[in-house]
């Protein structure tokens, strides 16, 4: 299994808050990327781990860095040339709980695609069949470029795969709700909200 941590986003909503990229936010002495690499390594010691980014400073011990050939649309974070069988895509701006990574790394099902997250966000996509994922990826990307849909990201791939309307908010089959504690950070407000919740819990 190859675990691909997607960290080549433009970060426009983050806007270099605190004078760093969101992937460089530190928790207990580890950046988001370092934490994710460590948790994967603890649960899948022999796995290949790849961080996709054009930023040399995101080189991380225990993982290789790969520069994607194409990064125009949001959906392109699923680096097209790395799509294959037995690949798991994770997000570089997500603080994963230990339980979530155990669940993602421990999935032994034979579904062509499995999606992990909650009703608000997808945090991982497990690809058993690269052919199936590429068909979904290519179709959603083409529909967006043709003006048939207004968004093209993980949710649209999921809904196309399970046969739901691409603009719906439903969650159906092939979706695993991960344990609480996993958070994504798209904006400074996400980060500050997390810190405020953490401080309240510690009081």
């Amino acid at each position: 299994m190859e675990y691909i941590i997607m960290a080549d986003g433009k970060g426009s909503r983050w806007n270099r808050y605190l004078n760093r990229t969101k992937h460089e936010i530190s928790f207990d002495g580890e950046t988001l990327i370092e934490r994710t690499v460590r948790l994967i390594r603890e649960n899948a010691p022999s796995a290949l781990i790849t961080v996709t980014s054009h930023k040399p400073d995101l080189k991380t011990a225990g993982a290789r860095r790969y520069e994607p050939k194409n990064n125009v649309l949001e959906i392109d974070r699923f680096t097209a040339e790395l799509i294959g069988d037995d690949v798991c895509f994770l997000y570089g701006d997500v603080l994963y709980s230990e339980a979530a990574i155990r669940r993602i790394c421990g999935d032994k099902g034979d579904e062509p695609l499995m999606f992990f997250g909650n009703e608000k966000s997808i945090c991982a996509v497990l690809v058993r069949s690269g052919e199936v994922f590429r068909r979904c990826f290519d179709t959603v990307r083409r529909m967006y470029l043709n003006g048939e849909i207004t968004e093209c990201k993980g949710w649209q791939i999921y809904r196309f795969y399970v046969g739901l309307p691409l603009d719906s908010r439903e969650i159906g089959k092939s979706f695993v709700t991960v344990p609480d504690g996993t958070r994504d950070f798209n904006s400074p407000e996400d980060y500050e909200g997390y810190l405020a919740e953490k401080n309240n819990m510690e009081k």
Side-chain angles (χ1 to χ4, degrees):
M1 179 69 70
E2 178 178 7
Y3 294 87
I4 299 173
I5 303 170
M6 302 177 289
D8 206 37
K10 297 176 177 60
S12 55
R13 283 177 288 177
W14 183 259
N15 197 25
R16 287 204 63 85
Y17 180 62
L18 301 176
N19 200 31
R20 68 188 68 179
T21 67
K22 56 188 174 182
H23 308 104
E24 297 170 307
I25 304 171
S26 182
F27 296 90
D28 299 322
E30 293 178 304
T31 65
L32 286 174
I33 302 284
E34 290 168 342
R35 175 185 172 85
T36 302
V37 169
R38 175 178 61 79
L39 291 175
I40 293 171
R41 195 58 74 205
E42 288 174 358
N43 288 276
S46 62
L48 172 63
I49 304 175
T50 300
V51 176
T52 55
S53 177
H54 280 82
K55 302 177 181 69
D57 54 356
L58 286 187
K59 181 177 174 62
T60 306
R64 68 168 182 147
R65 185 176 66 88
Y66 177 85
E67 296 190 2
K69 295 178 181 177
N70 182 38
N71 185 17
V72 178
L73 307 177
E74 188 164 355
I75 199 172
D76 293 330
R77 295 179 192 178
F78 296 101
T79 310
E81 64 271 23
L82 298 183
I83 295 173
D85 295 345
D86 295 325
V87 168
C88 184
F89 289 96
L90 301 102
Y91 291 80
D93 58 359
V94 169
L95 175 68
Y96 290 94
S97 69
E98 294 184 15
I101 292 293
R102 277 198 305 272
R103 181 67 183 85
I104 294 165
C105 291
D107 190 279
K108 305 299 182 187
D110 55 4
E111 274 269 350
L113 304 180
M114 288 297 299
F115 296 76
F116 299 80
N118 55 43
E119 68 280 356
K120 293 182 179 178
S121 61
I122 292 172
C123 69
V125 182
L126 178 58
V127 179
R128 294 293 185 188
S129 170
E131 180 182 356
V132 171
F133 187 78
R134 180 173 290 280
R135 183 168 67 248
C136 297
F137 172 92
D138 288 343
T139 302
V140 169
R141 194 177 195 279
R142 184 173 62 251
M143 290 176 70
Y144 179 80
L145 290 173
N146 289 342
E148 299 172 53
I149 55 176
T150 58
E151 290 185 297
C152 64
K153 48 190 178 182
W155 279 117
Q156 283 68 46
I157 292 176
Y158 168 71
R159 288 165 187 145
F160 179 80
Y161 173 61
V162 298
L164 291 169
L166 270 61
D167 60 352
S168 76
R169 295 187 173 275
E170 294 180 59
I171 296 176
K173 63 179 183 177
S174 304
F175 195 97
V176 176
T177 301
V178 298
D180 291 340
T182 293
R183 297 283 297 267
D184 57 338
F185 300 103
N186 290 312
S187 67
E189 290 76 20
D190 293 337
Y191 178 62
E192 293 298 337
Y194 169 81
L195 293 181
E197 288 176 21
K198 189 170 183 286
N199 287 337
N200 286 336
M201 289 176 62
E202 292 174 350
K203 287 181 180 178

